[in-house]
Amino acid sequence: MKRFLRVLAGLGGLVAIAVVVLINTTAGQNLLLERGISAVVGQAAPSYDGLNVFVCGSSSPLPAPGRAQACLAIITPEHYFIVDAGAGSAVNLGLANMPSDRLDGVLITHYHSDHIAELPTFNVMTWASGHQGPLKVYGPTGIKPVINGFNAAFAQDRRYRTLHHGLDFMPAEWGVMEAVENPMEFAMTFGDMTITSFTVSHSPVAPAVGYRFDYRGRSVVITGDTIVTDRLAAAAKDADLMFSDALSAPIVSAMVDAAKESGRDRIAHILVDIQDYHASVTDVAQLTVDANIGMTALYHLVPGPRNVVMENIYKREFQGNMLLTEDNMWFTLPVGSDAIDVH
């Protein structure tokens, strides 16, 4: 036994020496670099079965370490859509090796900055990946001036990229986003996918919509920013999975008190104001039960929890099948099943 332990210790020492050599010599660094880059760049795009949702952003504008602003990706073997484009979300999409070349479009719920800020980055990602034609951005009334503004602001960026990479590689006209304006209550069909937009209440922000995705018997609802209303309940009725805006009243109230005590009156004022146009966790929990929703995942968290105590404050109001999202979570809804796989 002692001899075995001595041999094991000797092998461990040799491994440690090998690691030191690899990390601290030119030859070793080059070898590790080659292997690492090959693993990343050579990684094939993953395959997708059923209806899948990727959380590319789970936070509101209130700062939350490790969380990008609102963004959800919907992907099936035939379809790929993104709902909202909050700051930081493009990094998560890029690291997840999402197939930007086949992005069908971005759907915008409303025109707050934390839902549109990353659109230019999404556009460059798709354009550079070989996406055929302009990136389509869908939204209610108001989408055209938003997209026209971004296109104008990034005109020189597009010109530089086309000059650098060539017209054949990055055609200039494919780098200009295309705005697609729809009514607030509207349905679009793409093969086996039906996307239905519905009115939500985020007053004074208007228009504001949510989206429901139905694909081969599975369904996902994304509320966008809203309070709970009868229209939302009707749109979410019997959905397999709902991603809901969620405000924790106890946490926000504590933040208001702390801001007032420290003399940060403007912050306190904003924190008071936001409480009347986001859905409280209590109301979302009741909606989950009343609308017979299979699972409710809270995203656009106001505020994004920073520790287990804040997470538990959110959870103490849960009813039914509910969970808090984190960036980079996956939800898979297999066709022909009621299951929802979360990982």
Side-chain angles (χ1 to χ4, degrees):
M1 183 65 179
K2 290 182 179 179
R3 182 176 180 180
F4 172 75
L5 292 175
R6 285 197 297 270
V7 171
L8 191 63
L11 290 174
L14 290 174
V15 170
I17 292 171
V19 169
V20 170
V21 170
L22 285 171
I23 293 174
N24 293 288
T25 65
T26 298
Q29 292 164 1
N30 289 343
L31 176 64
L32 292 174
L33 178 65
E34 179 184 342
R35 296 291 175 83
I37 293 296
S38 178
V40 173
V41 176
Q43 183 180 7
S47 58
Y48 304 94
D49 293 320
L51 178 59
N52 302 269
V53 185
F54 176 68
V55 181
C56 35
S58 60
S59 188
S60 63
L62 299 177
R67 293 180 183 269
Q69 294 176 353
C71 177
L72 295 166
I74 309 293
I75 190 162
T76 74
E78 309 89 6
H79 315 94
Y80 175 25
F81 291 91
I82 294 172
V83 178
D84 287 333
S89 57
V91 172
N92 289 333
L93 288 168
L95 292 174
N97 197 26
M98 299 293 275
S100 297
D101 59 319
R102 71 175 182 95
L103 180 60
D104 293 298
V106 181
L107 299 113
I108 302 298
T109 60
H110 65 288
Y111 303 119
H112 262 146
S113 61
D114 60 309
H115 293 256
I116 63 173
E118 206 78 297
L119 279 171
T121 305
F122 285 4
N123 187 47
V124 172
M125 288 171 62
T126 56
W127 188 26
S129 69
H131 186 275
Q132 299 295 296
L135 175 62
K136 293 184 177 181
V137 185
Y138 299 84
T141 301
I143 190 66
K144 291 183 178 180
V146 169
I147 297 307
N148 289 344
F150 277 132
N151 283 334
F154 283 81
Q156 294 197 72
D157 176 86
R158 291 194 304 277
R159 184 170 67 86
Y160 299 148
R161 295 184 190 281
T162 298
L163 286 172
H164 189 195
H165 299 294
L167 279 168
D168 291 338
F169 190 81
M170 295 185 75
E173 64 273 17
W174 289 4
V176 180
M177 288 183 283
E178 178 184 342
V180 181
E181 183 176 295
N182 290 323
M184 293 175 68
E185 301 274 340
F186 187 74
M188 301 180 289
T189 299
F190 301 85
D192 290 331
M193 174 83 79
T194 298
I195 304 173
T196 306
S197 65
F198 55 90
T199 305
V200 299
S201 179
H202 193 40
S203 180
V205 179
V209 300
Y211 294 99
R212 177 172 175 136
F213 295 79
D214 287 278
Y215 174 77
R216 300 181 63 188
R218 303 311 304 269
S219 54
V220 171
V221 170
I222 297 172
T223 69
D225 291 8
T226 183
I227 60 174
V228 173
T229 64
D230 290 343
R231 182 67 188 97
L232 172 57
K237 182 68 174 174
D238 298 325
D240 291 310
L241 175 60
M242 177 176 73
F243 287 86
S244 178
D245 177 29
L247 178 143
S248 173
I251 296 175
V252 174
S253 293
M255 293 172 69
V256 170
D257 292 341
K260 288 180 178 179
E261 289 175 7
S262 63
R264 302 180 71 186
D265 294 336
R266 293 187 65 84
I267 297 298
H269 181 97
I270 291 170
L271 290 169
V272 169
D273 284 348
I274 65 174
Q275 296 180 65
D276 66 3
Y277 72 169
H278 291 292
S280 72
V281 178
T282 301
D283 289 346
V284 175
Q286 191 60 52
L287 172 63
T288 300
V289 174
D290 293 345
N292 191 38
I293 297 165
M295 176 185 288
T296 293
L298 303 185
Y299 89 118
H300 195 270
L301 298 164
V302 187
R306 296 187 174 204
N307 51 55
V308 68
V309 173
M310 296 176 74
E311 290 175 2
N312 286 339
I313 291 172
Y314 270 96
K315 292 176 183 178
R316 70 190 184 192
E317 301 180 72
F318 281 10
Q319 293 188 51
N321 192 8
M322 299 180 65
L323 56 79
L324 291 172
T325 63
E326 298 177 357
D327 284 18
N328 304 309
M329 288 179 74
W330 278 99
F331 295 75
T332 298
L333 289 70
V335 172
S337 169
D338 293 329
I340 301 175
D341 176 37
V342 183
H343 56 281

